[in-house]
Amino acid sequence: MPLPFVRSRLRVLVRLRGELDRHRTDRVHRKLSRALARGPAVLEVDLSKVTFLAPECGAVFLRVASDAHRSGVRFVITRGSPRILATLRMLGLERYLDAPLPFDQSHRPDERPQP
């Protein structure tokens, strides 16, 4: 009989940085999967230091977000340049997130922009 799933933390934060090109896809996937395996209630990915995001690497976010959903873990993206966030929107990531992508670097998913 499998052991029950126990959450180890309320939130795990993963900060990514640099150029996330197709050559770093496996590394990013391993990092996010390890964070997810810790059993948080929320897996937060901070993209404020990411300077480039290749679509192949962006697809990793889709896979991990799907895995998080199946595990009952909220998956959120915080910060990120408008260009990085636009790439994620084009890939359709917002359908898999538990909070909308921020509008720019200064907004967190639980904040609403002021009109």
Side-chain angles (χ1 to χ4, degrees), residues 58-72:
V60 168
F61 292 109
L62 293 171
R63 286 194 306 251
V64 174
S66 177
D67 293 343
H69 180 72
R70 283 195 306 275
S71 299

Side-chain angles (χ1 to χ4, degrees), residues 2-111:
L3 294 173
F5 184 77
V6 177
R7 298 212 184 278
S8 61
R9 292 178 170 235
L10 293 177
R11 177 180 298 261
V12 171
L13 173 62
V14 176
R15 288 186 175 105
L16 299 174
R17 63 180 167 183
E19 292 189 7
L20 303 184
D21 59 21
R22 65 184 181 91
H23 301 291
R24 294 192 56 195
T25 300
D26 290 338
R27 179 184 288 176
V28 170
H29 188 260
R30 278 193 308 271
K31 189 169 191 167
L32 293 175
S33 293
R34 276 193 298 249
L36 183 58
R38 293 171 67 183
V42 177
L43 175 55
E44 177 182 344
V45 183
D46 181 340
L47 300 177
S48 60
K49 305 261 186 201
V50 173
T51 57
F52 174 78
L53 178 68
E56 298 90 349
C57 210
V60 168
F61 292 109
L62 293 171
R63 286 194 306 251
V64 174
S66 177
D67 293 343
H69 180 72
R70 283 195 306 275
S71 299
V73 175
R74 292 185 66 220
F75 186 78
V76 297
I77 301 287
T78 55
R79 303 185 180 114
S81 72
R83 187 173 173 190
I84 300 298
L85 297 175
T87 299
L88 293 174
R89 283 188 182 95
M90 282 191 321
L91 292 170
L93 183 64
E94 285 187 300
R95 292 178 291 177
Y96 300 97
L97 296 177
D98 290 297
L101 285 170
F103 288 98
D104 61 36
Q105 295 178 12
S106 63
H107 292 101
R108 295 182 56 90
D110 54 343
E111 294 178 344

